[in-house]
């Protein structure tokens, strides 16, 4: 029976997707480098291990949701293996196995060095990564473009914003409701002729830092807004004394190189 391969299935977003798919009867194969916190069945595999990825991809996979890898800043070796080699292995293994579609978890940190007073930032604005993590997401997006243009693998790259509970006005402007996220992934799996698309993973928040133009051919829009949270309110001004606020990437822009002894 065809099934979706979900990488990063033990993480917070991967766990939400597992529960979402299970509730809707969608068949999937969950994988991660660590066990799931809720003890759900998850195949343990290192995405930097090409042979391990090939074994997963050979199990009647119809599409890949690639949410695996390092989800924050780290030293170069960690980013290289988890995010760059891992993403390459996913796309190349999918090509060899004839898997036609990949949903890629990118990040707004690929554009994190833009000033907050120059927002909203468009999808077409140049990359300005705030970290090696952000660089790895820009790499994954351009890799996906190659594999679509040259090998026909359809892809949606989602520049995920703040998918946790916001604690500041800045985070409220970046908020991405997890049900909005899951419905976007669902839509990308089911829509015919996905092609190659990039979208910001962000809910319908006032003063949002990022803008995805309407795409009638794709037909997905977020249904949630940070206003439903009450507080913090995305309409409030940003605190000028908070060093996280001048640049979109927040604290990522304040850290040094993680291979130094004390980057923070």
């Amino acid at each position: 029976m065809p099934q979706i391969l979900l990488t990063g299935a033990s993480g917070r977003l991967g766990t939400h997707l597992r529960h979402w798919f299970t509730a809707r009867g969608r068949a999937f194969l969950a994988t991660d480098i660590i066990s799931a916190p809720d003890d759900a069945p998850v195949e343990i595999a290192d995405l930097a291990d090409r042979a391990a990825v090939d074994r997963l991809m050979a199990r009647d996979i119809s599409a890949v949701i690639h949410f695996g890898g390092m989800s924050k800043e780290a030293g170069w070796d960690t980013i290289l293996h988890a995010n760059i080699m891992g993403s390459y292995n996913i796309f190349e293994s999918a090509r060899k196995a004839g898997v036609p579609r990949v949903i890629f978890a990118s990040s707004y940190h690929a554009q994190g060095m833009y000033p907050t007073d120059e927002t909203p930032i468009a999808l077409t604005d140049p990359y300005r990564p705030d970290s090696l993590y952000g660089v790895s997401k820009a790499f994954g997006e351009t890799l996906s473009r190659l594999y679509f243009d040259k090998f026909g693998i359809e892809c949606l790259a989602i520049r995920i914003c703040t998918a946790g509970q916001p604690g500041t006005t800045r985070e409220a402007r970046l908020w991405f409701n997890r049900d909005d996220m899951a419905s976007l992934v669902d839509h990308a799996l089911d829509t015919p002729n996905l092609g190659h698309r990039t979208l910001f993973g962000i809910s319908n928040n006032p003063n949002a830092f990022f803008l995805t133009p309407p795409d009638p051919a794709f037909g997905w829009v977020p249904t949630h807004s940070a206003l439903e949270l009450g507080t913090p309110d995305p309409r409030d001004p940003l605190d000028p004394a908070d060093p996280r606020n001048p640049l979109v990437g927040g604290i990522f822009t304040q850290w040094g190189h993680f291979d130094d002894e004390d980057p923070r």
Side-chain angles (χ1 to χ4, degrees):
M1 176 181 178
Q3 58 187 338
I4 297 155
L5 177 62
L6 172 62
T7 73
S10 297
R12 290 177 297 173
L13 302 187
T15 295
H16 191 84
L17 287 171
R18 282 193 289 107
H19 294 164
W20 178 275
F21 292 153
T22 299
R24 288 156 179 77
R26 195 186 281 275
F28 64 94
L29 173 61
T31 185
D32 205 308
I33 201 168
I34 59 173
S35 300
D38 55 1
D39 296 323
V42 170
E43 299 271 346
I44 304 300
D46 182 351
L47 299 182
D49 180 349
R50 175 60 187 280
V53 176
D54 286 346
R55 287 192 292 270
L56 292 168
M57 207 72 70
R59 292 170 61 176
D60 201 8
I61 301 302
S62 59
V64 181
I65 304 168
H66 180 35
F67 274 51
M70 175 58 65
S71 61
K72 56 188 177 182
E73 180 65 321
W76 170 244
D77 283 345
T78 297
I79 294 295
L80 173 65
H81 285 82
N83 291 10
I84 293 179
M85 291 176 63
S87 292
Y88 175 77
N89 286 341
I90 286 291
F91 278 95
E92 179 60 6
S93 184
R95 181 181 76 87
K96 290 292 186 67
V99 177
R101 187 169 294 193
V102 175
I103 314 302
F104 173 62
S106 186
S107 171
Y108 78 99
H109 289 289
Q111 293 176 304
M113 292 301 290
Y114 280 93
T116 54
D117 61 6
E118 294 182 9
T119 58
I121 299 160
L123 286 166
T124 54
D125 287 336
Y127 292 122
R128 291 184 66 178
D130 55 29
S131 52
L132 293 175
Y133 170 74
V135 168
S136 74
K137 294 305 181 179
F139 169 83
E141 288 187 14
T142 56
L143 184 72
S144 74
R145 184 80 239 190
L146 169 69
Y147 272 75
F148 174 68
D149 287 341
K150 203 165 192 177
F151 306 116
I153 296 178
E154 295 186 303
C155 182
L156 172 66
I158 308 172
R159 290 183 188 166
I160 296 173
C161 295
T162 299
Q165 185 69 19
T168 64
T169 300
R170 175 187 164 276
E171 291 173 351
R173 295 183 183 187
L174 287 164
W175 188 54
F176 191 27
N177 175 276
R178 291 183 187 179
D179 283 350
D180 276 346
M181 177 204 70
S183 72
L184 173 56
V185 171
D186 249 352
H187 189 82
L189 288 170
D190 294 336
T191 192
N193 303 317
L194 176 64
H196 186 278
R197 284 180 163 87
T198 304
L199 293 177
F200 289 116
I202 193 167
S203 292
N204 186 23
N205 311 318
N207 295 327
F209 287 162
F210 298 101
L211 177 64
T212 296
D215 186 352
F218 185 58
W220 177 88
V221 293
T223 60
H224 291 269
S225 168
L227 291 177
E228 68 196 49
L229 301 173
T231 185
D233 192 323
R235 297 169 298 185
D236 289 341
L238 298 176
D239 179 2
D242 189 332
R244 297 170 295 181
N245 285 341
L247 298 175
V248 167
I251 194 64
F252 277 61
T253 70
Q254 301 295 302
W255 291 329
H257 199 300
F258 269 43
D259 287 335
D260 294 341
E261 287 187 11
D262 186 12
R264 288 170 286 186

